[in-house]
């Protein structure tokens, strides 16, 4: 004995030392060791005391004393073990402000999850905020998790890359509407041409297993231990029932069994939740890793691969598919655990009932395939539903991106119909799934009953001597209840695995996409002689399989020269820049670009960040350089006008900037970057002539900031060409001519011909050059001669009115920062004053509203709202059927206990058949009720989703434009995808389970009270404890869920933004910074998710403890009252109490799930209560269908403001435009040109005055009545994905001949007839497979089709070359001859032959007359014409 102890103590000492060296602060091994030591010592200690008391016998005093001391020491050791030690001295210092307490907590605290209690208390007192959350543990952070997976995947992928994988990117096929059941196999049309041997596919599963397997393996051990302990319950129940039957057994047996039952239950609880904790943490890491890997991959895939997965699909990979894996981790162990549980249960049942068990097993085995078939069916429906959902989200995404165009064209209804059509398909699939779900619930609830019925009837009927006593009946029931779980889980796990495998495949296809070849473009140092950009015999295409787009390109750009690329729309100018950036696939040839590159894309990409961050773009801030850049790019006046200067937040996609401002910000970003080579894709198209000239002189031209850099400029503006060093002329993907301006004129080729047509511009440039700038440009503040300083960039007191229509400026001016001509402040002073606006004012202004988290309990009104959406009759019917089901269930079990107590006469029981019959009838009625409520709830759920989606869609489309500018599209997409998905498929099953577990718990309590009325003393306090814990938990959990969903939106928004700007990010080589940014956002999201999974464990451990107490008292009271009780009742009460733990667990789980998911209803409702724009059509005041006949537009004292609290941006405008007049509207940037069109379309309602068209006040009629009758060609040409035909005529009102005629007039006929699908040509998302100029022409074709009396052109020709522009202008003249045309122009040459010109300045009309008159007056129009070189 002593030696054993000594060995043990030595072992203990050794372990303690070992763990301290490892830095363990609280050891589990030691705690368990001391507990067991104490338990053994206690037994010896008690027997020693008894021995000493009984006989005053010869006890060795020394040994007795030492043993007592030993006992006390063990006790002290155990107590000390419960407290954590200080971290070792040599451990690294943690400089985390809010570290997670998990690792410094003691062992006991960790197995009972006590360490999170602090957070729970804080969350209960007042709603949690993001700052209360702990930092993630180091091993859960993205920087730890993602690289591991990325490394393993790279290894695996490189193995398969040695055997080349043939990938073809086929154009997307038109989806047939009928094939909803087709599998979403490859998701995209990446057709993998299957290589012969299967092994060549990179196995993503293997990679995931390698990365997360080792940690996950621990869960395997916990699960096995838990499964074994599960069977302790029925075994102890058997002993207990024997004890109750056997009146001779001593009492302590009963107490011992009761204690044993309690301890085994508690151990089971602790082990199970350690297991769950490991699973959830693995799941969380998995999601982090997958999101990180997808993000990293999205930054490197080729453009052809990128086209095959739309933004929506890639975002789905991050949200839905990553979530699938998370869900699977918790279940995957069931694959081996379920069969194991079944085998053990069957063995014990056989021991109990003999061969009759086979009857029950047969029923179960029959149910498994039924369940499996249902699971597979559900799966196919789910795939179909996912497909519809993908399409719906894609369409919603485009609607939200192009909402302004929808409003201007009054197309909301057409697109609403398109969405509802997809939604209808989705709901049909949902309905089928609902019927299936009802069937599944039916089998799930009835299975245990059918099994018990068949087993008992076979057992009783096969042999007269088979007596159904309490022990047999209730131990069997307990085992059947255990069996029910694995049998029902298996199909679910299998279907989950199938789902995950579909996701795995989608992920694998995405991760195996081709990547851009970083070496296709040699990026050398800048010091070699032959030139800065060298291209020899290069041929490029967008994808490996495409025909080449640029062929045999040869040119060399010497360092520091300025090169222009000119040519017609769609001739490959932008593609040439993409090729130099390495974005295209190089077929052959040799390309070198030396030094760093900065790129300005044709369509500016602006981040949702402050203006300053957009310009600095991750570089360190240098005040002087920043000021110089901002001034050179003509951004100072704009910054002055923004509410918080350059600290103003820019909305998503730059919604609160005009087109010209976005372009200038994009340019400023490139200039600030200070690269060696500048690739500029038509940055001057979106700005007016005056600003364009300023930018060319100060930035791009021979005297600009960039004069020593190598610049390649794609441009349509010919007046700058004489100042270029070299001009490349492109046509059809080849360089047709090349040389300096003079050389090209002498060659007398196509270029010279083209120039003669527009010769006027040329002389003007020389003259304007001489007077503009004398010396070279130093820091620009000193140069008071520059036009921008002279004019002081007039702005209006009301706030800048930008060029783009409808981009509402939420901008206010503080009077201190307004400066205009009359004050004549020098530019320098104002610029410094501007950049140092008081900080208080800077921080006060934000544009986009972050997704907010509601706080506090979900209001009862939300539940009521949901019940109303289902229909009140349905709701109450469901509740009634629930009650019927549970009454039948209780009755049948009570009947069973009466049956087991039937006296046995001559070894048989009497009236067995009666007992069996009633038992059967009760069971069947239970089944009918189940099926009923299941159907009612599922169908009701579909009613609700249809109603709520319709409402949401209608209300969002009715919101005014200002709403879309304030709300990030991520929030809206979140409503349409995540929240609606919750309402569709999560809420109905949760309601079923919630109701089910509620009644189960009530039923169990009733039975326990029937058997042992004394339990009435103990159930209420336990119930109170339960409610307390639950209230505590729900407060925190709900808020954590809200924080988690709020922090999820930015992950998607940032991802969307990255996908849109991926070309820019790659050009600037900023991938690493964006990856870090994404990791931070994911970690922020997981920071809220981690506490919520721990909170779930915290709750479960406490609740199961309450449940275990109920078991303890049910058994204890049964032991105490065993003389009065029959074995049947004891069996009934204890077997119910054994189940109560599971029910309680479910109940809380479901009540909190219900509460967190019903939030979706609340968030969907929230948007239906937003402000709305005016009615779409008003019956009473609808204008006659022929209106407007003349097209006469009168502005009477018209004024406009953007928001209630802002000044007027247009004031007392009094102009009458007669029918058929052609009016040009000009003015400096921000003079209010576009605001005029906004007023005309009532995108903003008039603040004063009115607009009369043909005698009808437009404010009195419906918006659609108005917008259908006026046509606009907007500044940003937006197309929607779908056929070209749909983009031209979404309402299908016109014949094909009409459409072809409009295309011919828009000069697109040749292009469209060359397409394989002609009018059915699929436009990509946002029209990306057409060039910007072509999109502009499509918008022109739209206008020609609508042929309304009033046409508005908003800088419609900014993106096309001069030749096409001339064609467009002549088309407009001939086709809209009798119509009123209002043109907002940057290129003044387009309006020189118009009837009249309005010149706006600060929101007022300052000059109005024919162009010739105005030129005579030498006013503002004259100075603008001079800037454009027209005078």
């Amino acid at each position: 004995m002593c030696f054993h102890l000594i060995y043990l103590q030595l072992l203990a000492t050794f372990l303690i030392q070992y763990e301290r060296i490892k830095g363990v602060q609280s050891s589990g091994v030691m705690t368990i060791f001391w507990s067991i030591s104490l338990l053994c010592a206690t037994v010896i200690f008690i027997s020693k005391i008894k021995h000493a008391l009984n006989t005053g016998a010869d006890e060795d005093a020394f040994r007795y004393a030492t043993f007592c001391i030993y006992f006390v020491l063990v006790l002290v050791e155990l107590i000390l073990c419960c407290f954590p030690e200080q971290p070792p001295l040599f451990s690294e210092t943690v400089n985390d402000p809010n570290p997670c307490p998990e690792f410094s907590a003691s062992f006991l605290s960790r197995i009972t999850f006590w360490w999170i209690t602090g957070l729970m208390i804080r969350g209960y007192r007042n709603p949690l905020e993001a700052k209360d959350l702990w930092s993630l543990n180091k091993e859960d952070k993205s920087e730890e998790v993602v690289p591991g997976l990325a490394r393993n995947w790279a290894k695996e992928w490189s193995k398969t890359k040695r055997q080349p994988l043939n990938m073809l990117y086929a154009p997307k096929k038109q989806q047939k509407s009928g094939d909803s059941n087709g599998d979403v196999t490859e998701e995209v049309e990446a057709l993998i041409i299957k290589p012969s041997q299967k092994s060549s596919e990179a196995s993503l599963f293997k990679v995931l297993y390698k990365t997360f397997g080792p940690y996950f393996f621990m869960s395997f051990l916990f699960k096995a231990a838990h499964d074994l302990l599960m069977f302790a319950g029925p075994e102890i129940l058997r002993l207990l029932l024997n004890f109750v039957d056997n009146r001779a057994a001593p009492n302590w047996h009963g107490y011992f069994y009761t204690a044993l039952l309690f301890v085994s239950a508690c151990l089971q609880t602790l082990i199970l939740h350690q297991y769950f904790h490991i699973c959830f943490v693995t799941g969380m890491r998995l999601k982090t890793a997958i999101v990180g890997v997808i993000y990293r991959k999205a930054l490197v895939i080729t453009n052809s691969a990128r086209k095959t997965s739309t933004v929506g699909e890639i975002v789905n990979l991050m949200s839905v598919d990553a979530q699938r894996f998370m869900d699977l981790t918790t279940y995957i162990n069931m694959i081996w655990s379920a069969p194991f549980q079944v085998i053990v249960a069957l063995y014990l049942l056989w021991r109990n009932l003999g061969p009759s068990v086979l009857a029950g097993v047969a029923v179960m085995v029959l149910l498994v395939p039924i369940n499996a078939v249902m699971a597979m069916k559900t799966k196919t429906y789910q795939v179909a539903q996912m497909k519809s959902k993908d399409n719906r989200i894609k369409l919603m995404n485009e609607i939200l991106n192009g909402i302004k165009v929808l409003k201007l064209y009054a197309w909301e209804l057409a697109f609403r119909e398109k969405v509802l059509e997809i939604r209808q398909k989705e709901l049909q699939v949902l309905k089928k799934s609902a019927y299936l779900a009802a069937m599944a619930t039916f089998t799930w609830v009835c299975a245990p009953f059918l099994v018990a019925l068949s087993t008992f009837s076979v057992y009783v009927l096969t042999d007269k001597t088979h007596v159904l006593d309490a022990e047999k009946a209730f131990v069997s029931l307990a085992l059947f209840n255990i069996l029910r779980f694995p049998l029902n889980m298996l199909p679910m796990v299998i279907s989950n695995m199938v789902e995950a495998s579909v996701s795995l495949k989608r992920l694998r296809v995405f991760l195996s996409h081709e990547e851009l070849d970083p070496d296709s473009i040699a990026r050398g140092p800048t010091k070699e002689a032959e030139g800065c950009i060298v291209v020899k015999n290069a041929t490029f295409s967008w994808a490996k399989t495409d025909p080449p787009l640029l062929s045999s390109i040869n040119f060399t750009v010497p360092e520091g020269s300025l090169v222009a690329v000119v040519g017609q729309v769609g001739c490959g100018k932008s593609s040439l820049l993409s090729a130099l950036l390495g974005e295209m696939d190089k077929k052959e040839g040799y390309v070198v670009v030396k030094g760093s590159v900065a790129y300005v894309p044709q369509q500016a990409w602006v981040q949702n960040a402050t203006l300053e961050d957009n310009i600095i773009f991750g570089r360190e801030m240098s005040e002087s350089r920043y000021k110089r850049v901002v001034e050179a790019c003509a951004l100072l006046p704009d910054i002055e006008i923004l509410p918080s200067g350059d600290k103003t937040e820019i909305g998503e996609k730059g919604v609160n900037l005009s087109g010209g401002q976005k372009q200038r910000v994009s340019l400023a970003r490139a200039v600030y970057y200070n690269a060696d080579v500048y690739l500029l894709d038509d940055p001057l198209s979106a700005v007016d002539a005056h600003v364009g000239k300023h930018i060319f002189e100060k930035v791009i031209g021979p005297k600009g900031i960039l004069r020593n850099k190598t610049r390649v400029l794609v441009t349509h503006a010919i007046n700058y060409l004489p100042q270029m060093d070299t001009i490349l002329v492109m046509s059809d993907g080849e360089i047709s001519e090349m040389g300096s301006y003079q050389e090209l004129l002498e060659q007398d080729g196509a270029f010279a011909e083209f120039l003669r047509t527009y010769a006027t511009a040329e002389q003007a440039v020389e003259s304007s050059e001489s007077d503009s700038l004398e010396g070279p440009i130093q820091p620009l503040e000193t140069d008071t001669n520059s036009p921008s300083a002279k004019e002081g960039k007039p702005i209006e007191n009301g706030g800048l009115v930008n060029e783009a229509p409808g981009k509402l400026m939420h901008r206010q001016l503080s009077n201190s920062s307004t400066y205009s001509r009359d004050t004549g402040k020098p530019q320098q002073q104002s610029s410094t004053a501007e950049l140092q606006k008081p900080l208080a004012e800077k921080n006060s202004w934000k544009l986009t509203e972050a997704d907010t988290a509601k706080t506090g309990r979900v209001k009862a009104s939300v539940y009521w709202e949901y019940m109303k959406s289902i229909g009140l009759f349905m709701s109450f019917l469901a509740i009634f059927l629930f009650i019927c089901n549970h009454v039948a269930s209780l009755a049948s079990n009570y009947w069973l206990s009466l049956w087991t107590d039937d006296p046995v006469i001559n070894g048989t029981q009497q009236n067995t058949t009666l007992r069996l019959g009633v038992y059967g009838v009760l069971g069947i009625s239970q089944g009918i009720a189940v099926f009923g409520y299941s159907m009612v709830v599922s169908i009701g759920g579909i009613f609700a989703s249809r109603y709520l989606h319709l409402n949401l869609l209608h209300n969002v489309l009715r919101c005014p434009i200002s709403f879309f500018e304030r709300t990030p599209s991520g929030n809206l997409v979140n409503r349409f995808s995540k929240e609606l998905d919750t309402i569709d498929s999560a809420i109905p099953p949760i309601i079923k389970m919630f109701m089910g577990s509620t009644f189960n718990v009530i039923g169990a309590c009733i039975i326990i009270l029937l058997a042992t009325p004394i339990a009435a003393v103990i159930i209420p306090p336990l119930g109170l404890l339960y409610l307390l814990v639950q209230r505590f938990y729900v407060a925190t959990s709900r808020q954590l869920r809200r924080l988690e969903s709020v922090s999820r939106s930015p992950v998607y928004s940032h991802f969307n933004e990255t996908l849109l700007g991926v070309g820019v990010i790659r050009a600037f080589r900023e991938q690493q910074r964006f990856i870090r940014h994404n990791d931070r956002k994911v970690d922020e999201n997981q920071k809220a998710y981690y506490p919520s999974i721990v909170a779930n464990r915290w709750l479960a451990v406490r609740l199961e403890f309450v449940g275990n107490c109920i078991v303890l008292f049910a058994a204890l009271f049964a032991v105490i009252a065993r003389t009065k009780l029959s074995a049947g009742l004891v069996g009934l009460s204890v077997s119910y109490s054994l189940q109560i733990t599971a029910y309680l667990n479910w109940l809380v789980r479901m009540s909190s799930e219900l509460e967190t998911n019903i939030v979706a209803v609340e968030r969907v409702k929230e948007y239906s209560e937003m402000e709305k724009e005016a009615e779409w059509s008003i019956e009473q005041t609808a204008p006659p269908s022929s209106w407007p006949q003349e097209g006469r537009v009168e502005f009477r004292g018209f004024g406009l403001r953007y928001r209630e609290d802002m000044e007027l941006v247009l004031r007392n405008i009094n102009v009458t435009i007669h029918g058929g007049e052609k009016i040009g509207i000009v003015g400096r940037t921000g003079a209010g040109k576009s605001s005029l069109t906004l007023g005309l379309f009532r995108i903003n309602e008039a603040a004063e005055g009115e607009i009369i068209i043909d005698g009808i006040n437009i404010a009195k009629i419906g918006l659609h009545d108005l917008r259908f009758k006026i046509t606009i060609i907007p500044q940003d040409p937006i197309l929607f994905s779908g056929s070209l035909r749909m983009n031209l005529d979404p309402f299908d009102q016109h014949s094909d001949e009409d459409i072809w005629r409009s295309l011919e007039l828009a000069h697109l006929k040749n292009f469209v007839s060359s397409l394989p699908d002609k009018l059915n040509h699929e436009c990509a998302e946002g029209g990306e497979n057409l060039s910007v100029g072509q999109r502009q022409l499509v918008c022109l074709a739209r206008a020609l089709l609508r042929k309304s009396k009033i046409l508005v052109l908003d800088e419609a020709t900014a993106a096309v070359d001069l030749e096409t522009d001339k064609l467009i202008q002549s088309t407009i003249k001939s086709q809209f001859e009798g119509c009123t045309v209002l043109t907002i122009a940057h290129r003044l040459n387009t309006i020189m032959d118009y009837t009249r010109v309005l010149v706006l300045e600060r929101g007022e009309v300052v000059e109005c007359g024919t162009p010739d008159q105005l030129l005579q007056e030498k006013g503002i129009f004259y100075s603008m014409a001079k800037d454009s070189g027209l005078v």
Side-chain angles (χ1 to χ4, degrees), residues 104 447 944 1120:
S104 52
I1120 294 171

Side-chain angles (χ1 to χ4, degrees), residues 227-239 241 268 338-354 357 360-361 364 447-449 451-452 455-456 470-488 893 896 1131 1134-1136 1138-1139:
D227 285 356
L228 287 171
L229 272 171
M230 228 162 67
F231 292 104
E235 283 307 289
I236 300 169
L237 175 62
R238 211 181 70 209
L239 296 170
L241 291 176
Q268 209 177 317
F340 173 70
Q341 289 179 21
V342 171
I343 291 165
V344 177
L346 287 183
Y347 166 72
L348 293 173
L349 277 168
W350 185 279
R351 235 182 49 188
N352 204 12
L353 293 177
V357 172
V361 175
M364 280 187 175
F449 178 77
V451 171
T455 309
F456 291 154
E471 180 199 325
K472 286 196 171 57
F474 289 107
V475 173
S476 307
L477 268 187
L479 287 167
F480 283 136
N481 280 330
I482 288 180
L483 257 182
R484 162 187 178 180
F485 182 68
L487 282 174
N488 281 293
N893 279 337
L896 184 67
V1134 176
S1135 62
Y1136 258 99
L1138 279 175
Q1139 283 179 290

Side-chain angles (χ1 to χ4, degrees), residues 116 193 237 247 306 337 352 476 1012 1080 1178 1274 1431:
I116 195 183
I193 299 169
L237 175 62
R247 300 288 151 114
R306 166 78 181 70
S337 155
N352 204 12
S476 307
T1012 49
R1080 262 205 311 282
I1178 304 171
V1431 187

Side-chain angles (χ1 to χ4, degrees), residues 829-1034:
Q829 182 185 341
S830 101
S831 76
T832 40
E834 179 294 298
L835 289 166
Q836 292 149 5
K837 274 194 200 177
L839 274 173
E841 184 188 330
K842 291 210 178 213
N843 298 337
S844 62
W845 196 85
K846 275 181 80 67
L847 165 82
T848 51
E849 298 167 347
D851 217 350
T852 46
K854 291 238 173 107
T855 52
R857 294 193 60 167
V858 179
K859 296 189 188 64
S861 62
V862 178
Y863 293 101
W864 184 240
E865 195 58 55
Y866 187 72
M867 280 174 75
K868 277 200 308 213
S869 319
I870 291 179
L872 294 180
F873 171 70
M874 297 279 272
S875 307
F876 288 116
L877 180 64
I879 293 172
F880 173 69
L881 287 170
F882 261 109
I883 294 173
C884 295
N885 165 36
H886 283 279
V887 168
S889 157
L890 286 181
S892 67
N893 279 337
Y894 186 62
W895 184 260
L896 184 67
S897 85
L898 294 178
W899 178 4
T900 58
D901 288 339
D902 274 354
V904 180
I905 304 167
N906 308 333
T908 62
Q909 282 173 317
Q910 309 304 306
N911 48 25
T912 311
T913 40
L914 168 73
R915 294 287 192 192
L916 198 58
V918 174
Y919 188 57
V921 169
L922 284 169
I924 289 162
S925 54
Q926 182 183 342
I928 293 167
V930 172
F931 189 70
Y933 79 66
S934 215
M935 287 301 283
V936 171
V937 173
S938 301
I939 301 299
I942 288 173
F943 287 168
S945 2
R946 170 173 293 144
Y947 168 77
L948 289 167
H949 173 260
L950 191 66
N951 232 356
L952 174 67
L953 181 66
H954 185 71
N955 288 318
V956 166
L957 289 177
R958 283 278 320 274
C959 286
I961 282 283
S962 55
F963 165 78
F964 294 97
E965 275 156 17
R966 281 199 316 275
T967 315
S969 62
N971 294 8
L972 282 163
V973 173
N974 209 349
R975 297 291 186 279
F976 278 102
S977 59
K978 192 85 184 86
E979 316 294 355
L980 260 176
D981 190 42
T982 305
I983 293 173
D984 286 346
S985 45
I987 293 184
I990 286 175
I991 288 179
K992 279 192 259 188
M993 293 199 226
F994 172 73
M995 300 287 288
S997 23
T998 312
F999 285 118
N1000 275 334
V1001 171
I1002 296 171
C1005 290
I1006 292 174
I1007 290 284
I1008 294 173
L1009 286 173
L1010 272 180
T1012 49
I1014 189 173
V1017 182
I1018 206 72
I1019 284 180
L1022 282 176
L1024 202 65
L1025 182 65
Y1026 172 84
L1027 282 174
L1028 194 75
V1029 166
Q1030 205 239 13
R1031 281 265 46 89
F1032 229 80
Y1033 160 80
V1034 169

Side-chain angles (χ1 to χ4, degrees), residues 510-566:
F510 181 73
L511 292 178
S512 309
H513 276 323
E514 276 179 280
E515 298 187 2
L516 289 173
D517 176 11
D519 310 323
S520 66
I521 306 272
R523 287 257 183 125
T526 48
K527 293 291 165 276
E528 290 160 42
E530 55 181 6
C532 204
I533 301 176
V534 183
V535 182
K536 290 185 185 161
N537 288 330
T539 301
F540 296 98
S541 69
W542 279 114
K544 284 212 168 92
T545 50
D546 284 9
L549 222 149
L550 302 173
S551 40
S552 52
I553 304 279
N554 282 294
F555 67 95
T556 303
V557 180
E559 191 173 342
S561 63
L562 172 56
V563 178
V565 182
V566 295

